[in-house]
Amino acid sequence: MNCSKNILSRDFYNDNPSKVAQALLGKYLVRKTDVGTFVGKIVETEAYLPFNDTAAHNFKGETNRNRSLYKDAGHAYVHSMRQYCLLDVTTEGVGIPGSVLIRGLEPIEGLEVAENITNGPGKLCRAFNITKELDGVDMTNEQSNLFICSSEKDIAPDLVDISTRVGISTAKEEPLRFSIKGNLHVSKGR
């Protein structure tokens, strides 16, 4: 699959994290490496708001750890949680630290199609070799080795499940988790 000509533009990401999180469903995450290209269909996302979201990494302000959140829309924010890396993409604009966590992928290319290999933010980063070295990468740049490209068609609203976020200790009640109904690669959550 060659979708490098259909990379999502900065304008796509320059919106409220909740809207971007829903719009990313069905799009393709692409990771180019020395051993090949990995492609996965985004089937689950989670929005993190730029201000007053106690679960967001920006809640206490800008730090060395979260500096990429404050970049322009469409940049990677790769952070670690326990022993795993996780991938967010920034939304809105410079100095407005909203983001969308990529929670689940359906393997399309470059991976053995196996249930549960990419059904969680840590698992998908491990499978796609997404490490802290990619923190701050411009995902709207055609030369990037990490980007998201458009799909043939958008996911219809009636095929989107909206639920509360999982795996966090605060602001768990917020309905900011989005997934494609019935997809086997959506994480189970806890």
Side-chain angles (χ1 to χ4, degrees), residues 138-155:
D138 184 353
M139 295 176 67
T140 67
N141 183 333
E142 290 181 16
Q143 304 305 312
S144 178
N145 56 9
L146 179 67
F147 56 87
I148 299 173
C149 59
S150 60
S151 52
E152 301 80 39
K153 61 181 184 174
D154 292 337
I155 301 297

Side-chain angles (χ1 to χ4, degrees), residues 64-84:
N64 285 335
R65 177 181 180 233
N66 70 10
R67 185 152 289 132
S68 294
L69 275 176
Y70 292 80
K71 290 186 173 224
D72 207 354
H75 282 79
Y77 169 52
V78 181
H79 51 98
S80 49
M81 182 75 56
R82 300 175 199 78
Q83 74 270 28
Y84 298 106

Side-chain angles (χ1 to χ4, degrees), residues 84-102:
Y84 298 106
C85 283
L86 288 83
L87 170 66
D88 284 53
V89 60
T90 60
T91 60
E92 297 188 74
V94 175
I96 305 172
S99 69
V100 175
L101 173 67
I102 308 300

Side-chain angles (χ1 to χ4, degrees), residues 166-187:
V166 296
I168 55 177
S169 56
T170 63
K172 296 185 284 192
E173 69 287 344
E174 297 294 331
L176 295 172
R177 180 179 173 213
F178 308 94
S179 60
I180 298 175
K181 286 182 182 176
N183 190 287
L184 297 175
H185 300 278
V186 172
S187 67

